[in-house]
Amino acid sequence: MRSLALLARNRLALGGLIVMGLVVFLALLTPALPLKPPNITDTSNRFLPPFSQGAILGTDHLGRDLLSRLMWGTRLSLAVGFAAALIAATIGAAIGIVAGYYGGRTDNVIMRGVDMLMAFPYILLALAIVAALGPGLINALVAVAAVNIPFFARNIRGITVGIAHKEFVDAARLSGMSDARIILTEILPNVIPVIVIAMSTTVGWMILETAGLSFLGLGSQPPVADLGSMLGEARAALITNPHTSIVPGLMILVIVMAINLLGDGIRDALDPRLKSGALNRPLPATLVAPSRQPAAQHADAILTLDNLQTQFHVKDRVYRAVGGVSLSVKPGECLGIIGESGSGKSVTALSVMGLVASPPGIITGGSVHYQGEDLVGAPYRRLRTLRGREVAYIFQDPQATLHPLYRVGDQLIEAITAHRPLSRDEGRRKAIDLLDAVRIPNASARVNDYPHEMSGGMRQRVGIAMALANDPEVIIADEPTTALDVTVQAQILSLLDDLRRERGLAIVFITHDFGVVGQLCDRVAVMYAGRIVEQGPTRAILDAPRHPYTARLMACVPELGGGKRRLDAIPGLPPAVDDLPPGCAFAPRCDRATETCRTGEIPLDKVGDRALRCLHPVTMTEAVS
Ligand code: ADP
Ligand code: MG
């Protein structure tokens, strides 16, 4: 249904759909229409012009009614074109799926056969097939279908190969399903959209090919009309009586154009990537609302966020992903940001350098000061010089951030040359230095590795090396160890810790793991539903969490050697950020909440060594016990 709505939004495709619907409707209705018989000749009325008495579109060289022949011919051409497309798609897809699913020798034999068919110019191949079978509409249909089979087979095989090794197919195999069932229930549903797309874009082409064969006299035989044979017969009178050619010619044009527009629309609507908006290229920097209120800057911090607000405007919904976050880091300091998934940590981090995809993202308020300069609303050129050079990012999945086809050394060099020119030798030396700096053993050999030749931990080290490439002042690490196992995680953490001590880096470290915060961060900010609910020195917060959310979050962490205890999961779910409750966003899940918690704004108050957004904080005595 979503696909239909999408299709309807595409004006051209909708136009194609309407025209095609009309043509198909008329073609289906033709036998019931009060038309003259299409094949009755009447030589006394040859070449009547259009709009003549009794023949609206005129007559042809044998005095046959053109309107009637056009309707019957369209009917036949459409039927043959669609039938050929259906046959080619079915056989081609079956071949492709079998080849792609079984792979190995089966694949080899089948695909080489397909390649041989593809090696012929395919109109020639169609002609050869008709020549062998003899002229006739059915033979033309067979020929057109046959020459299109390789196209479908190749397409579908490619898709199937990609799917056949996915985990869900392995899972089906492990559960004991037969190959036939796997193909029908796991593979086929995934390739059907591709088949439909390929069909919708080739039907028009097949109608043209059939018409072409008929035009040459190899398709429909006289007196039966199809669009191609009508054109062929009219050829001799092209100059003297052009209407006999124009009538079928226009019909072919209209049909093929309508089908192609519709096919494009179907492709756009069915392709999941296009559907999710992959074609809307995001702007190079996040949009900033003109109504934004910039905030004042701080003195000693290198990076300061003040009341930063980032929203996603999707259709008429507003997602308040970041709802007024204030943070700061000093050189050599590590600030942790912790919170459940969906609490707005990543969006906060990406907002700093204007990296939130826009549309739909938009920064609606607050400021980000880097060394006294407000980055929100800074020109794109300025942001680009700062990105990577002054503020660098490390992301969760280095597999996704490293290019699979380039050696890691080249990728490191590229990160540097984005900001300053570098000779090859110099670049290589620098890349090796960087790999050394992130403690990759045997760096001078490893620099030539491709990402897939490295382990997850190694790749993340490369990710860190890339962040370090331009000696940035600030590193923002977004869950850099979440995908790693604990021993590698410990190594990466100690590496980051060393680096900030050696280089005086300011680190913003995003995580959902209190253990990690405890190892690395000087201060920690706890986020919930896009806002900071508690912030303070790590030790103080770990020893005595004051916000009920922080306390509940920490109670979820199992302690090694802490004996058996029930882990208290937090009941309920985080609120949806497009529909935040008034008052404290945590109130619905909080057992300390009162009526006042659910109304009005609850400020982030300074309480002793920390900032706290709570009316009923956990008392010190409760917290320590
Ligand atoms: P996390 O704390 O897990 O990093 P994120 O910062 O990625 O969370 O996401 C914060 C909120 O923003 C989530 O509730 C998410 O649903 C919302 N969000 C993120 N990207 C988009 C988007 N493109 N459109 C709408 N909402 C989004
Ligand atoms: Mg995230």
Side-chain angles (χ1 to χ4, degrees), residues 460-484:
Q460 193 54 290
R461 283 165 200 259
V462 174
I464 297 174
M466 202 172 266
L468 292 176
N470 293 295
D471 279 323
E473 302 295 324
V474 180
I475 285 193
I476 300 178
D478 190 351
E479 310 207 23
T481 58
T482 304
L484 306 175

Side-chain angles (χ1 to χ4, degrees), residues 447-472:
V447 74
N448 292 324
D449 277 4
Y450 288 97
H452 68 265
E453 294 172 316
M454 300 186 135
S455 67
M458 286 287 188
R459 278 198 290 265
Q460 193 54 290
R461 283 165 200 259
V462 174
I464 297 174
M466 202 172 266
L468 292 176
N470 293 295
D471 279 323

Side-chain angles (χ1 to χ4, degrees), residues 147-172:
V147 297
N148 281 291
I149 286 176
F151 164 77
F152 282 96
R154 272 234 158 269
N155 253 338
I156 302 301
R157 175 194 171 265
I159 306 288
T160 311
V161 168
I163 296 170
H165 300 288
K166 285 264 161 71
E167 285 77 2
F168 67 89
V169 177
D170 288 340

Side-chain angles (χ1 to χ4, degrees), residues 176-531:
M177 276 200 212
S178 68
D179 283 343
R181 248 192 88 193
I182 295 179
I183 288 180
L184 286 182
T185 61
E186 310 286 331
I187 308 268
L188 195 60
N190 282 294
V191 295
I192 279 188
V194 186
I195 301 178
V196 172
I197 290 166
M199 252 180 81
S200 63
T201 43
T202 46
V203 168
W205 189 229
M206 297 205 200
I207 291 178
L208 273 184
E209 286 164 12
T210 325
L213 289 177
S214 291
F215 179 84
L216 296 174
L218 299 172
S220 82
Q221 298 299 305
V224 178
D226 81 346
L227 294 175
S229 63
M230 284 177 74
L231 265 182
E233 288 164 2
R235 189 171 32 167
L238 182 61
I239 305 296
T240 48
N241 289 289
H243 72 275
T244 50
S245 315
I246 289 175
V247 166
L250 272 182
M251 186 51 117
I252 292 181
L253 181 78
V254 167
I255 290 178
V256 173
M257 260 185 59
I259 289 184
N260 285 350
L261 290 178
L262 181 60
D264 281 353
I266 291 179
R267 189 195 55 212
D268 292 358
L270 280 186
D271 190 320
R273 277 175 315 150
L274 302 182
K275 202 156 53 178
S276 68
L279 282 191
N280 319 345
R281 234 179 72 147
L283 297 170
T286 311
L287 278 175
V288 177
S291 59
R292 172 186 78 110
Q293 301 286 336
Q297 65 174 83
H298 285 237
D300 54 345
I302 184 161
L303 184 73
T304 318
L305 279 60
D306 275 302
N307 194 25
L308 182 72
Q309 295 160 40
T310 306
Q311 308 181 340
F312 293 95
H313 293 187
V314 182
K315 300 226 183 78
D316 44 3
R317 306 211 71 117
V318 174
Y319 296 81
R320 292 184 172 76
V322 179
V325 164
S326 303
L327 294 170
S328 65
V329 261
K330 297 196 223 40
E333 188 187 35
C334 177
L335 169 75
I337 302 180
I338 191 164
E340 275 170 289
S341 141
S343 54
K345 309 181 297 289
S346 296
V347 177
T348 306
L350 293 173
S351 300
V352 170
M353 279 282 132
L355 288 169
V356 177
S358 238
I362 178 165
I363 297 178
T364 51
S367 292
V368 175
H369 282 104
Y370 173 75
Q371 292 190 334
E373 177 183 359
D374 193 355
L375 299 183
V376 176
Y380 170 56
R381 287 178 58 95
R382 180 70 189 140
L383 279 179
R384 219 178 66 187
T385 51
L386 293 178
R387 285 178 185 172
R389 206 181 72 186
E390 305 289 327
V391 179
Y393 284 85
I394 305 170
F395 293 103
Q396 175 175 342
D397 183 7
Q399 179 83 311
T401 38
L402 292 175
H403 196 301
L405 300 184
Y406 292 113
R407 299 174 195 282
V408 294
D410 293 338
Q411 301 192 48
L412 285 171
I413 296 172
E414 192 186 22
I416 304 171
T417 47
H419 292 289
R420 58 193 166 87
L422 203 65
S423 75
R424 269 237 49 98
D425 283 348
E426 216 181 328
R428 204 185 137 78
R429 230 173 307 125
K430 177 88 194 178
I432 295 174
D433 285 349
L434 282 168
L435 293 185
D436 260 334
V438 295
R439 324 263 193 279
I440 288 189
N442 199 6
S444 52
R446 285 303 211 164
V447 74
N448 292 324
D449 277 4
Y450 288 97
H452 68 265
E453 294 172 316
M454 300 186 135
S455 67
M458 286 287 188
R459 278 198 290 265
Q460 193 54 290
R461 283 165 200 259
V462 174
I464 297 174
M466 202 172 266
L468 292 176
N470 293 295
D471 279 323
E473 302 295 324
V474 180
I475 285 193
I476 300 178
D478 190 351
E479 310 207 23
T481 58
T482 304
L484 306 175
D485 59 59
V486 279
T487 44
V488 181
Q489 166 169 307
Q491 293 167 0
I492 299 275
L493 291 181
S494 83
L495 169 64
L496 281 173
D497 203 36
D498 292 350
L499 286 173
R500 76 163 160 134
R501 288 182 206 289
E502 286 164 18
R503 304 186 180 213
L505 276 171
I507 298 182
V508 178
F509 195 96
I510 297 173
T511 177
H512 55 247
D513 186 342
F514 269 107
V516 172
V517 169
Q519 280 179 51
L520 186 64
C521 303
D522 307 310
R523 281 186 304 123
V524 59
V526 183
M527 275 188 85
Y528 187 76
R531 318 187 76 175

